[in-house]
Amino acid sequence: QQICHCRPVSWALAIPCSPNWFSSNVLDACEGLIAFATKNSISLLCSHQRVLVGNLQGHSNRVNAIAFLHRYCAHPFTPLLESHKLHQFVLCSASVDKTVRVWDGTHLTTLHKHKQHKSEISCIDAMCTHTDSDITATVVSGDAEGIIVRFVLNVSGALVNGQEHVIF
């Protein structure tokens, strides 16, 4: 199920100010879906229909960084992914509340959450990795004390054994 149908459009939309706009990591886009942090939640907009399609709530403090896991990075494995959660719009977020969340942007639910950081998280990124038989998502976050936390999710959105919250 697509929540935002692809068709190229050029338009401008004024959205309310957010206390998060001081950061360059609070806005990302994927296949026509725009995500932006609005204090302690994340709003999802369809750029093609110019409508709000959802709001991800769960952080208890300001969201500092977001990043989509771009699903087309696993293009050779699209048939394998169609029934799995990583085929959906997956979004990662990091917050002042010291939590990282991985969201299913299609169903507006949390796939994974951790609180391994001991200070405010300032950055996050995610990428797909594929082998001959598997696809995983690696999520990396960094905090104000310089601690980096990495974890790996499988195509079902669960932690890969042996890859639970590796801290650097």
Side-chain angles (χ1 to χ4, degrees), residues 2 11 35 57 113 115 123 126 129 134 138 148 150 156 167:
Q2 272 190 305
W11 56 276
Q57 298 181 347
K113 171 186 164 185
K115 193 169 182 168
C123 58
T129 305
D134 198 15
T138 300
I148 297 171
R150 176 185 66 97
S156 300
I167 300 173

Side-chain angles (χ1 to χ4, degrees), residues 30-117:
C30 180
E31 297 184 27
L33 189 64
I34 299 170
F36 67 94
T38 57
K39 197 169 181 181
N40 61 344
S41 64
I42 301 160
S43 293
L44 300 174
L45 294 169
C46 175
S47 65
H48 308 303
Q49 299 169 355
R50 300 185 211 176
V51 295
L52 181 69
V53 294
N55 197 31
L56 302 173
Q57 298 181 347
H59 287 291
S60 62
N61 208 326
R62 185 180 71 240
V63 176
N64 281 342
I66 60 176
F68 271 110
L69 174 66
H70 295 278
R71 69 182 185 176
Y72 54 78
C73 70
H75 176 68
F77 295 96
T78 298
L80 173 67
L81 282 176
E82 285 177 357
S83 63
H84 297 297
K85 292 184 179 183
L86 291 185
H87 184 65
Q88 313 295 324
F89 288 98
V90 175
L91 180 72
C92 304
S93 61
S95 172
V96 172
D97 67 9
K98 304 172 192 165
T99 63
V100 167
R101 287 181 178 262
V102 179
W103 304 90
D104 177 339
T106 303
H107 299 100
L108 308 179
T109 57
T110 301
L111 292 173
H112 180 74
K113 171 186 164 185
H114 81 70
K115 193 169 182 168
Q116 297 295 314
H117 289 279

